[in-house]
Amino acid sequence: MAGHGTRGRSGGRPTLEEVAARAGVGRGTVSRVINGSPRVSDATRAAVEAAVAELGYVPNTAARALAANRTDAVALVVPEPETRFFAEPYFSDMLRGVGAGLSDTEMQLLLIFAGNDRKRQRLAQYLAAHRVDGVLLVSVHADDPLPDMLTQLDIPAVISGPRSADEPLPSVDSDNYGGARSAVEHLLAQGRRTIAHITGRMDVYGAQRRVDGYRDALRAAGREADDLLVAEGDFTEEGGRRAMTRLLAHRPDLDAVFAASDVTAAGARQVLREAGRRIPDDVSLVGYDDSVIARHMEPPLTSVRQPIEEMGRTMIDLLLAEIADRRPAASRKPERRKMVLPTELVVRSSS
């Protein structure tokens, strides 16, 4: 057996790979043990710790990062106010997925809010100093300058939800169009005839695609979408209340509502109840996201399930690949740069 302080095969400091080979495990498993992850069996932990002791391995993240011109950190940038981040389950689910994707790495995750010009300017200075290896962008509006800024700084980035069909950055999204169609087709199958839609923010491409799915589902059933049945929201509860009030004023005969988020549906539900409309007897209600809000609403809300945690994991996988592959974007595989994950309609008693 090699004694404590033995040099690695290279003659220098023992490497993580040499520890893994000595312990008979993978490199990722060694990282998990060193970083204190609970996702390792006692026997495996003991084997890795023995190999670390025998080889005299000393983790040196700072030296390794300096040598590779790496910081071993990525940023999750949210161009929204902190209040919205903590109020909407979408963001916490996304964060959980990103965290799970990073759990087998030695990367640190920074959460940065950039909801106004001052914060964006401060973020630009921070990123220009190359304090992170890559950036995840969540909830980006069409006119947001952040994605182009990252491109100019040559910082690897992945965006959650493209800004348009021509998004140049690698992106991960759910099937917004198909999810919306399935919601409206369900309402039509339930015999609903006057189906309204409360949109999300219309400067968000995903919200535009949900409107397209709504309209096309109606057209396929031989009906044109009445503009008075479409009210713009902003994915918030208050936006849902305002939009539902307008809809009832313009089309009091409506018998179903498809809302662009569960939070929006919660606001719509409150207005419907105040107007004496029973759910689902008088008006069916469908949301989007299948968040904890949907399950705890009364009655429980039918909702389109987005695989939000899986989207977070896929985003970090794409970003790590971008960080590792510094070739020009044009030479990389385009099919790995635009990921669209399937949605699923979860039917509950609100419809």
Side-chain angles (χ1 to χ4, degrees):
M1 234 6 128
H4 182 78
T6 301
R7 292 188 176 273
R9 282 190 294 272
S10 61
R13 295 172 70 94
T15 66
L16 197 68
E17 288 76 10
E18 287 165 352
V19 173
R22 175 66 63 95
V25 299
R27 187 181 187 279
T29 301
V30 175
S31 292
R32 285 196 291 276
V33 171
I34 290 169
N35 291 316
S37 169
R39 298 168 52 194
V40 182
S41 71
D42 290 342
T44 298
R45 180 173 284 103
V48 171
E49 288 172 350
V52 166
E54 289 161 11
L55 291 173
Y57 173 75
V58 179
N60 191 338
T61 303
R64 189 171 61 256
L66 188 63
N69 196 24
R70 292 267 297 276
T71 66
D72 281 346
V74 296
L76 176 65
V77 175
V78 184
E80 298 282 358
E82 290 90 329
T83 49
R84 187 177 168 212
F85 180 90
F86 292 108
E88 297 187 27
Y90 173 89
F91 293 108
S92 57
D93 289 347
M94 179 68 72
L95 185 59
R96 192 157 45 242
V98 170
L102 282 175
S103 63
D104 287 347
T105 77
E106 296 178 29
M107 287 280 194
Q108 298 296 315
L109 178 66
L110 306 178
L111 177 60
I112 301 175
F113 296 101
N116 58 44
D117 289 340
R118 185 176 59 83
K119 289 183 177 178
R120 271 194 293 270
Q121 190 173 11
R122 198 164 63 202
L123 172 65
Q125 293 169 349
Y126 183 82
L127 295 178
H130 291 277
R131 302 281 183 83
V132 297
D133 294 325
V135 172
L136 302 170
L137 276 171
V138 180
S139 187
V140 178
H141 306 148
D143 60 351
D144 197 306
L146 283 174
D148 293 335
M149 180 186 80
L150 292 169
T151 301
Q152 289 165 7
L153 291 171
D154 195 30
I155 295 175
V158 175
I159 194 168
S160 168
R163 290 166 291 171
S164 71
D166 302 318
E167 175 61 61
L169 286 178
S171 64
V172 177
D173 205 0
S174 69
D175 183 4
N176 291 289
Y177 175 85
R181 277 201 73 147
S182 69
V184 178
E185 287 167 355
H186 164 72
L187 291 168
L188 289 166
Q190 297 296 106
R192 301 296 173 169
R193 303 189 58 80
T194 309
I195 302 171
H197 177 43
I198 301 176
T199 76
R201 285 187 57 151
M202 291 307 291
D203 60 351
V204 174
Y205 182 62
Q208 298 167 23
R209 294 299 289 153
R210 290 175 202 179
V211 174
D212 292 342
Y214 161 80
R215 292 185 182 278
D216 286 355
L218 290 178
R219 288 194 191 102
R223 304 178 195 181
E224 280 298 316
D226 183 342
D227 287 343
L228 293 178
L229 284 169
V230 178
E232 185 169 344
D234 57 5
F235 294 116
T236 70
E237 186 173 0
E238 179 56 34
R241 281 194 288 265
R242 288 195 301 266
M244 193 69 248
T245 300
R246 289 197 301 275
L247 287 168
L248 285 178
H250 294 141
R251 290 300 303 265
D253 58 327
L254 62 83
D255 61 4
V257 178
F258 164 49
S261 76
D262 294 342
V263 177
T264 295
R269 168 187 167 277
Q270 183 179 341
V271 172
L272 287 167
R273 287 202 158 177
E274 289 169 354
R277 306 295 177 94
R278 297 167 300 166
I279 301 171
D281 307 64
D282 303 321
V283 179
S284 287
L285 183 61
V286 177
Y288 205 106
D289 289 335
D290 191 37
S291 65
V292 65
I293 290 171
R295 297 188 288 278
H296 291 164
M297 202 179 289
E298 181 53 44
L301 181 68
T302 296
S303 185
V304 178
R305 176 180 292 164
Q306 289 196 90
I308 300 172
E309 282 194 46
E310 185 182 348
M311 288 166 65
R313 285 194 298 271
T314 304
M315 283 183 73
I316 200 64
D317 286 348
L318 265 184
L319 182 62
L320 293 176
E322 290 288 313
I323 291 169
D325 184 359
R326 300 301 288 132
R327 290 175 297 161
S331 67
R332 302 178 206 168
K333 294 182 178 179
E335 68 274 10
R336 280 289 298 160
R337 292 170 58 83
K338 294 188 186 299
M339 307 288 287
V340 179
L341 305 183
T343 56
E344 175 191 357
L345 183 69
V346 180
V347 178
R348 299 190 179 92
S349 51
S350 72
S351 63

